[in-house]
Amino acid sequence: MPQVMVVARNFMDMVAALPASKLDMLYDSAFICEAVLRSLPPLAKKYALQMLYVLAPVTATAMEEWVREGYAAKHRVAIDKLLQLRVFVEVRDKRKEVSYQMNHKFQDNMQKYLVDGGCLPREPIPLSITGRLPSSADLETYALDQWECFLLQLINSSQVEKGSFSSSMMKTFQRGLLSSRDGEAPKLTENGFQFLLMETNAQLWYIMREYISSAEERGVDPTELISFLLELSFHYLGAAYSLNTLTDVQRVAIKDLAVLGLVKLQQGRKDSWFLPTQLATNLSASLSDSSSSKEGFVVVETNFRLYAYSTSKLHCEILRLFSRVEYQLPNLVVGAITKESIYGAFENGITAEQIISFLKQNAHPRVADKIPAVPENVTDQIRLWESDRNRVEMIPSHLYEDFPSKEWFEQCCDHARDHGYLLWEDSRRMRLIVRGEFHSEMREFLRRQR
Amino acid sequence: MTSAHSKLYSDDVSLVVVVVDTNPFFWATAALPFADFFANLVHFVNSILLLNHLNRVVVIASGVSSCAYIFDSSDASPAGGVGVAATFDKASRRVEEFIAQDARATAANSSAASANAAALLSGALSLAMCYIQRIFRSGTRHPQPRILCLQGSPDGPEQYVAVMNSIFSAQRSMVPIDSCIVGTQDSAFLQQASYITGGVYLKPQELNGLFQYLAAVFATDLHSRTFLRLPKTLGVDFRASCFCHKKTIDMGYVCSVCLSIFCKNQKKCSTCG
């Protein structure tokens, strides 16, 4: 889904934007190298693997011969990505020819990783100390509950059941998604609505990006946070890791992550430990299609009725964004997609594509196999309603009238038409409308004519 | 024959089924020792698993009289995945057990024991296709499968029919069969397999650098294959073997009903009557 790629690439862009020395420091950890490798587009991954054991630089022209004709653009994109993340380093020789070589640190670490495997900076605590650990099903429900609670907070700041979030942390998470005017409760912005309709992975990456960019304001080094987050995804799902193995920075971060449902904190008699949930272990799966086995729950019928087999409040709220919810039964939400409800969604800044992709992604397994998963008349109608709103296009412009003579008027018209900014002319009444940006040029022209 | 590129792949999640030739008669006289070859192979397996956390690899060994699954990357606990070092240990132990088992089976069935013995490619390809079919039925989100054959022994003409059947079923399911020849002679079966299914056929010149060949050519996922220039074979050996004596023939007699090939004119076709 294109949306996941956009957000994840932004996270990687953030990583790439780090200064070169910090980036090289990050590559000390084999896990971060692996996470970075996995985030590359497939062609770039292939190039990286090919160059893994090549010590001498390879000229750029030689590399261009690896692709077939017509795909040079893809090749360029892959090479750029590799250069941005400093996986490939440019080397210029005496003849000014460009060649690429793999970053030495990256290369050494990956070679070692392929032979030995990596070792995490911490080991799981044995069962004798922790006692019975929650099962993976428990962890999954815990993670989902926390995540839904967080999203519900976004939609309805007043209606929160588990009110144990620290306010400063909520502020950092909600930057850009909520806007609050004085005296009023915070409302969702356009980005906020679009955020709600995204896939879970995309949402996670968005939040992580916001968290890390706000880390600098709080005085926390973003490099450490990035390396901790990327390492977290390689921990064993459901195994307990002691909190003593974390640095101070990481300890603060872990509490915030627990609120989101990425880890579960538990306390024993003497130690306390954290267990990574599925949300954390799936963090490094940024570019590949989401590995969530979450089943869809929405059935859309050709008569514009919507049936959502879900008990979650969050799903109900999301559906309320663009459809009129009619009944809410213990396991079913029945609604209808109407013109008013869709117009309401458009007012909030949601686009038709987002609504349609949300419906497609969350299609109930019964209809998901059908082509198309959402009936065409519904998708076409949503798009038509969107284009209805765009019927009237507004362009700032200037009106010229009261021309003294006809030839002057004709000359102005021709001048405007030649330069492509004539919008409308009325030769009977000698009136002319020209794009707003070119007003000064028109004035110059008129002055020269006089 | 159309290639398998008509299918659109949107990401690079792949399932690679590696068919390894463990024929002891071939490896006894091969230029590259089996241990080195196997180390290269495990390294390659680890690098595929490295590229994408959803990638899966299955290794099938084909001996002289039997085949078996050696390694399946999804066997590991879902918690952390298989560690790199553990992969090597598990795979090596299992392959040694298999070679011993296969040697016992061959000794018991001494008709096949000769220096020119062929590996059981047909059995291994069938095992691979069965696994792949199971993956296809596992749901809408499954990795894109492909088969990689590492072959050194010569072709056994008696397996012609079975091998061609597996190749056609792979073509039907749009599963490319790649081949990498680690022996001295080209293999007609694998050339045909790669040609028909749209895979890559390669005979590396430098066997010590096997990993680099594997990583550069065979690690390419199906999505990227449309963009990259991969080795093309110049000529394919399309010779068939006759159904009656299993000899390789250039010219023969074909049944007009079922298209079975015979070397001598027969009144009644043994396949369809």
Side-chain angles (χ1 to χ4, degrees):
Chain A
M1 318 290 154
Q3 267 181 332
V4 185
M5 288 200 217
V6 165
V7 178
R9 286 233 175 95
N10 281 340
F11 183 84
M12 274 306 153
D13 288 343
M14 209 172 52
V15 174
L18 289 175
S21 51
K22 288 223 170 125
L23 201 57
D24 282 344
M25 247 171 33
L26 272 186
Y27 287 151
D28 264 331
S29 153
F31 287 110
I32 299 185
C33 296
E34 184 174 339
V36 165
L37 185 66
R38 282 185 179 171
S39 74
L40 293 168
L43 203 57
K45 278 191 220 179
K46 167 87 185 18
Y47 289 164
L49 191 62
Q50 210 162 331
M51 295 287 290
L52 188 56
Y53 280 93
V54 176
L55 297 171
V58 177
T59 58
T61 35
M63 280 198 185
E64 273 163 34
E65 293 189 3
W66 290 347
V67 272
R68 288 201 187 149
E69 293 100 28
Y71 292 105
K74 276 215 181 310
H75 174 82
R76 199 64 243 164
V77 163
I79 296 278
D80 282 341
K81 200 84 210 157
L82 288 166
L83 284 173
Q84 252 179 24
L85 285 167
R86 291 184 56 81
V87 175
F88 274 15
V89 177
E90 229 179 68
V91 167
R92 274 181 203 264
D93 61 5
K94 288 188 275 273
R95 272 170 297 161
K96 303 281 176 89
E97 253 184 55
V98 178
S99 21
Y100 299 120
Q101 201 178 16
M102 205 175 214
N103 182 338
H104 283 302
K105 252 207 198 164
F106 193 89
Q107 200 172 22
D108 290 334
N109 277 324
M110 284 318 313
Q111 285 177 3
K112 264 189 258 159
Y113 183 74
L114 268 186
V115 175
D116 302 323
C119 55
L120 284 169
R122 54 194 68 92
E123 286 290 321
I125 312 181
L127 276 174
S128 49
I129 305 188
T130 61
R132 206 172 64 88
L133 287 174
S135 69
S136 53
D138 287 343
L139 272 182
E140 212 178 314
T141 37
Y142 168 79
L144 280 176
D145 277 342
Q146 291 286 93
W147 185 246
E148 275 196 15
C149 215
F150 168 70
L151 287 180
L152 270 175
Q153 258 226 328
L154 274 185
I155 303 182
N156 242 321
S157 316
S158 50
Q159 241 190 58
V160 162
E161 286 166 5
K162 298 188 204 168
S164 58
F165 302 133
S166 74
S167 58
S168 62
M169 193 214 52
M170 289 316 317
K171 275 208 197 73
T172 52
F173 285 143
Q174 290 156 358
R175 229 171 51 154
L177 296 176
L178 284 183
S179 73
S180 56
R181 275 164 283 199
D182 303 311
E184 281 182 24
K187 270 182 52 147
L188 271 175
T189 60
E190 196 176 298
N191 282 340
F193 281 112
Q194 294 183 355
F195 172 80
L196 280 177
L197 288 182
M198 278 198 260
E199 248 196 315
T200 313
N201 268 350
Q203 291 173 333
L204 255 180
W205 276 118
Y206 189 94
I207 295 285
M208 286 299 118
R209 207 187 80 215
E210 290 293 315
Y211 186 63
I212 292 185
S213 16
S214 71
E216 288 202 30
E217 294 166 18
R218 281 178 290 137
V220 178
D221 184 18
T223 333
E224 248 199 270
L225 270 182
I226 293 180
S227 68
F228 180 55
L229 278 171
L230 288 176
E231 269 183 14
L232 192 60
S233 54
F234 290 104
H235 287 59
Y236 290 129
L237 172 67
Y241 294 91
S242 164
L243 282 181
N244 297 338
T245 55
L246 298 176
T247 65
D248 293 323
V249 169
Q250 294 171 341
R251 237 177 271 229
V252 172
I254 257 266
K255 291 210 176 57
D256 295 333
L257 294 178
V259 167
L260 284 179
L262 284 172
V263 298
K264 186 176 167 101
L265 292 172
Q266 272 190 330
Q267 199 120 26
R269 256 176 296 150
K270 280 184 279 177
D271 314 299
S272 33
W273 56 83
F274 69 91
L275 301 111
T277 64
Q278 243 165 1
L279 285 179
T281 47
N282 280 343
L283 258 184
S284 70
S286 47
L287 277 186
S288 69
D289 229 333
S290 88
S291 55
S292 65
S293 50
K294 250 189 337 188
E295 287 204 338
F297 55 97
V298 175
V299 179
V300 184
E301 283 187 340
T302 49
N303 56 359
F304 288 83
R305 289 184 79 78
L306 199 71
Y307 300 92
Y309 287 88
S310 158
T311 47
S312 136
K313 250 177 121 182
L314 176 68
H315 289 157
C316 188
E317 290 296 321
I318 293 184
L319 288 176
R320 246 182 253 274
L321 286 178
F322 60 85
S323 68
R324 186 187 69 204
V325 172
E326 291 176 359
Y327 321 120
Q328 205 170 348
L329 300 171
N331 69 334
L332 176 65
V333 175
V334 179
I337 299 182
T338 64
K339 192 174 184 185
E340 294 85 24
S341 64
I342 293 282
Y343 268 35
F346 291 151
E347 297 285 322
N348 281 326
I350 307 180
T351 66
E353 279 314 309
Q354 284 165 341
I355 298 179
I356 294 174
S357 66
F358 175 80
L359 289 174
K360 281 199 183 137
Q361 281 166 26
N362 290 302
H364 194 274
R366 273 281 181 85
V367 287
D369 296 327
K370 273 205 272 187
I371 298 171
V374 179
E376 303 110 333
N377 64 333
V378 176
T379 53
D380 287 345
Q381 185 64 295
I382 297 182
R383 290 200 185 105
L384 281 173
W385 279 329
E386 185 183 39
S387 58
D388 267 353
R389 280 166 46 95
N390 299 335
R391 252 197 327 219
V392 179
E393 194 188 340
M394 304 228 262
I395 308 177
S397 45
H398 278 272
L399 167 70
Y400 298 92
E401 54 184 355
D402 280 343
F403 280 88
S405 71
K406 189 113 177 133
E407 311 124 6
W408 209 349
F409 172 72
E410 296 290 329
Q411 274 176 350
C412 285
C413 270
D414 291 333
H415 179 82
R417 202 176 298 128
D418 289 336
H419 292 261
Y421 46 82
L422 175 68
L423 286 177
W424 179 80
E425 59 174 304
D426 182 359
S427 13
R428 243 182 331 119
R429 279 184 271 176
M430 290 202 288
R431 297 205 291 192
L432 190 60
I433 294 192
V434 150
R435 275 183 201 271
E437 304 92 69
F438 298 101
H439 177 57
S440 40
E441 278 183 43
M442 271 311 275
R443 275 227 304 257
E444 280 305 307
F445 181 74
L446 288 168
R447 222 168 276 151
R448 269 183 284 141
Q449 294 294 86
R450 206 170 292 171
Chain B
M1 292 275 186
T2 52
S3 70
H5 290 321
S6 46
K7 209 171 166 191
L8 278 174
Y9 302 101
S10 55
D11 58 24
D12 68 328
V13 182
S14 27
L15 159 70
V16 183
V17 182
V18 183
V19 172
V20 177
D21 178 3
T22 57
N23 182 354
F25 298 105
F26 163 70
W27 285 112
T29 56
L32 180 73
F34 183 72
D36 290 347
F37 163 75
F38 198 69
N40 272 313
L41 175 67
V42 174
H43 214 58
F44 172 66
V45 165
N46 282 327
S47 62
I48 293 192
L49 291 174
L50 173 73
L51 285 182
N52 192 317
H53 78 299
L54 291 173
N55 277 355
R56 291 166 62 168
V57 179
V58 177
V59 179
I60 299 178
S62 66
V64 176
S65 4
S66 56
C67 323
Y69 291 102
I70 296 291
F71 172 75
D72 183 348
S73 68
S74 49
D75 270 345
S77 59
V82 180
V84 165
T87 313
F88 187 63
D89 288 333
K90 256 189 359 187
S92 319
R93 251 181 296 131
R94 187 79 186 86
V95 92
E96 278 163 17
E97 283 169 15
F98 171 73
I99 294 182
Q101 198 183 354
D102 186 57
R104 282 194 295 267
T106 319
N109 180 12
S110 54
S111 60
S114 79
N116 237 356
L120 208 57
L121 182 64
S122 53
L125 282 180
S126 312
L127 279 183
M129 286 310 299
C130 285
Y131 190 90
I132 290 177
Q133 280 301 321
R134 184 153 55 99
I135 294 296
F136 277 150
R137 280 157 218 237
S138 68
T140 41
R141 293 202 169 167
H142 56 79
Q144 307 300 340
R146 61 184 194 269
I147 302 181
L148 168 63
C149 288
L150 295 162
Q151 178 93 335
S153 339
D155 286 336
E158 68 277 2
Q159 298 176 32
Y160 175 74
V161 179
V163 170
M164 289 314 283
N165 282 337
S166 328
I167 294 176
F168 290 134
S169 92
Q171 185 197 21
R172 218 26 189 340
S173 324
M174 295 207 275
V175 173
I177 299 184
D178 298 327
S179 344
C180 180
I181 304 295
V182 295
T184 42
Q185 336 151 303
D186 282 319
S187 154
F189 288 171
L190 286 179
Q191 274 179 344
Q192 292 189 43
S194 300
Y195 180 79
I196 291 175
T197 56
V200 177
Y201 176 88
L202 183 69
K203 186 160 177 295
Q205 285 136 341
E206 195 62 49
L207 279 180
N208 283 325
L210 185 63
F211 173 76
Q212 189 61 16
Y213 283 102
L214 291 176
V217 178
F218 295 109
T220 332
D221 55 283
L222 296 177
H223 173 61
S224 306
R225 281 188 190 199
T226 42
F227 321 132
L228 287 172
R229 271 204 196 129
L230 294 169
K232 254 194 323 201
T233 31
L234 297 169
V236 183
D237 185 354
F238 275 120
R239 280 182 305 175
S241 17
C242 73
F243 281 41
C244 41
H245 305 105
K246 312 295 181 196
K247 283 185 304 189
T248 320
I249 54 174
D250 288 335
M251 294 214 291
Y253 296 85
V254 179
C255 168
S256 47
V257 175
C258 65
L259 301 182
S260 325
I261 306 169
F262 302 99
C263 51
K264 289 201 193 52
N265 195 349
Q266 295 182 345
K267 286 216 186 76
K268 206 158 123 44
C269 166
S270 51
T271 320
C272 65

